[in-house]
Amino acid sequence: MKFLTELKTLLTNNIRDYGMYIALFVIMLTFTILTDGLFLSSRNISNLLDSAGYIAVLAVGVMIVIVIRHIDLSIGFLAGFLGAIAAILLMEVGMPVYLAIPVILLIGTVIGLTTGLLVAKVGIPSFVATLAGWLIFRGALLQVTEDSGTIIIQNDAFNAIGNGYIPSLGQIGGLHLLSVLVGVLGILFYIYGAVSKRSKMVKYNFEVVSKPIFIVQLVFVSAIIAYITWILAGYNGLSWTLVIILLVVIIYHFITTKTVIGRHVYAVGSNPEAAHLSGINVSKITLLVFGSMGLLSALSGILFTSRLQSATTTAGTLFELDAIAAAYVGGVSSAGGVGKVTGAIIGAIVMASLTNGMNLLGVGISYQYMIRGGVLALAVIFDVTTRKRGK
């Protein structure tokens, strides 16, 4: 009885964090039933995660932008434009992949820093500055693709980023061995991190959940990692796109939770004036966040272009809206100061799952847009109501 009471209290007090996971579980269960198990097939889950990759990367960046109470509308066409530049560098200039990718990432970072400079130093509202960027990069994309309309990329190494899989060391029970090993290491890493965090909290007399609840958490999360690994290993294993997403999650989760810069980002988002008075350089944080957004936009453009194996005039269309929707569904607060990297990724998977499931069921595109819009509205309503309860 005590266990159930504590579990209920834990869920109630952390409903913002757990709500998105519950929503994802309900969505996946519903589509699995409606499609007679096709939704959870190894092939479909692998394709779903790969198709969500470029939006997931954007969602992480825009989540941090929203945390500091700004917005970036230019990221979609910036990603499309930089993807086209990558295609030009590879196919027309003849630049090797190992040089083209760093160049594109650098260009994206510089563009992001320029946007941040307009917002932080010049004082232009982020909505206006990034709307201008939206128009500029839309025009730039049309300009660089106007001759051919579509730039076909015939480079196996580049195209493997969006379509390839990590090499296999062999098969074990019909499963991709290296992917299984990565999954096992992921579980061990998670358990080690969770146990270490709990030990430190106990050492400094912070409140922690009881051991039975903690063990349930470990088993539950480990089971999810193991199940996803089993599904993916049953097809072609982990894709390079998924590996890149995992790296982005690990790096940005570390930055936002374990570094001084991360703490400053949330301090600025919670109260910019108080953060400034406490000695935090708000302009510097704004510059860094927009620079990071430019970097991730470039990475998103690379992922999308490599998956499509071409650069097109329509690349980047609605990317920014999908990413912003994913961030809000993932729990970022419209009031700023609240949001998690893992939440942004889960939000992207939720939106991708909705689209994928509805496609499998043959739902018309008009209804798909309306349903996705309804889910976004519900996410924001949930955010507002939970903040009011917190007060």
Side-chain angles (χ1 to χ4, degrees):
M1 188 67 180
K2 182 180 178 181
F3 174 84
L4 293 176
T5 302
E6 183 182 0
L7 183 61
K8 181 180 178 181
T9 303
L10 183 66
L11 289 173
T12 303
N13 294 339
N14 297 276
I15 189 63
R16 180 193 290 272
D17 295 331
Y18 296 145
M20 66 190 109
Y21 294 98
I22 296 172
L24 178 60
F25 175 77
V26 171
I27 289 171
M28 298 186 79
L29 179 63
T30 301
F31 283 130
T32 300
I33 294 172
L34 293 177
T35 60
D36 295 326
L38 179 60
F39 181 82
L40 272 185
S41 65
S42 296
R43 179 188 294 271
N44 188 62
I45 292 297
S46 180
N47 290 334
L48 186 155
L49 294 175
D50 287 349
S51 65
Y54 62 94
I55 295 299
V57 168
L58 283 180
V60 170
V62 82
M63 180 277 296
I64 301 175
V65 172
I66 296 172
V67 163
I68 64 168
R69 303 188 181 189
H70 287 294
I71 197 67
D72 195 336
L73 300 177
S74 67
I75 56 178
F77 284 123
L78 175 57
F81 168 66
L82 291 177
I85 296 299
I88 291 172
L89 291 178
L90 291 168
M91 302 310 300
E92 297 182 13
V93 178
M95 184 178 290
V97 174
Y98 62 84
L99 285 180
I101 291 177
V103 167
I104 294 301
L105 295 177
L106 179 61
I107 294 173
T109 304
V110 171
I111 291 174
L113 288 172
T114 303
T115 303
L117 189 67
L118 293 176
V119 175
K121 299 296 185 181
V122 181
I124 300 176
S126 59
F127 182 90
V128 177
T130 58
L131 180 58
W134 187 96
L135 294 169
I136 291 170
F137 300 129
R138 175 59 173 148
L141 174 61
L142 292 174
Q143 177 65 33
V144 298
T145 58
E146 67 175 354
D147 291 336
S148 60
T150 299
I151 305 173
I152 304 298
I153 301 176
Q154 297 175 330
N155 187 301
D156 293 338
F158 182 81
N159 291 337
I161 296 173
N163 300 279
Y165 299 85
I166 64 174
S168 176
L169 299 177
Q171 296 284 322
I172 176 171
L175 300 178
H176 192 276
L177 179 56
L178 185 55
S179 297
V180 172
L181 293 176
V182 171
V184 171
L185 288 175
I187 292 173
L188 294 176
F189 179 78
Y190 164 72
I191 293 175
Y192 173 77
V195 172
S196 298
K197 181 180 179 181
R198 177 183 169 83
S199 298
K200 290 179 181 178
M201 293 180 70
V202 170
K203 180 180 179 181
Y204 293 104
N205 296 318
F206 285 103
E207 184 180 355
V208 296
V209 297
S210 64
K211 283 188 177 180
I213 293 290
F214 180 66
I215 292 173
V216 168
Q217 288 178 334
L218 290 180
V219 172
F220 183 70
V221 174
S222 298
I224 291 177
I225 296 174
Y227 184 65
I228 293 174
T229 301
W230 177 72
I231 288 178
L232 296 177
Y235 184 48
N236 287 326
L238 299 179
S239 66
W240 286 116
T241 296
L242 186 55
V243 170
I244 291 171
I245 294 173
L246 292 174
L247 288 174
V248 169
V249 170
I250 292 170
I251 293 170
Y252 275 83
H253 178 73
F254 177 80
I255 292 173
T256 55
T257 60
K258 304 294 183 181
T259 67
V260 174
I261 291 177
R263 289 193 288 271
H264 286 181
V265 165
Y266 286 98
V268 169
S270 297
N271 193 322
E273 293 78 14
H276 175 71
L277 293 174
S278 66
I280 297 174
N281 191 328
V282 177
S283 296
K284 178 183 176 182
I285 293 299
T286 304
L287 277 171
L288 289 175
V289 168
F290 275 96
S292 166
M293 186 71 260
L295 172 68
L296 292 178
S297 296
L299 181 57
S300 175
I302 290 170
L303 288 173
F304 181 77
T305 305
S306 63
R307 181 164 178 79
L308 215 60
Q309 301 184 30
S310 62
T312 66
T313 56
T314 59
T317 304
L318 297 181
F319 283 15
E320 68 282 351
L321 298 186
D322 286 337
I324 292 169
Y328 274 111
V329 171
V332 71
S333 174
S334 54
V338 175
K340 290 184 177 181
V341 171
T342 50
I345 295 296
I346 294 299
I349 295 175
V350 166
M351 300 304 286
S353 297
L354 279 173
T355 301
N356 180 271
M358 288 187 289
N359 284 335
L360 291 176
L361 292 174
V363 177
I365 190 67
S366 58
Y367 290 107
Q368 288 192 29
Y369 277 117
M370 288 188 280
I371 292 171
R372 290 165 63 193
V375 170
L376 174 59
L378 287 174
V380 178
I381 291 170
F382 180 75
D383 167 52
V384 173
T385 53
T386 51
R387 278 194 287 116
K388 286 182 178 179
R389 289 177 183 176
K391 294 179 181 179

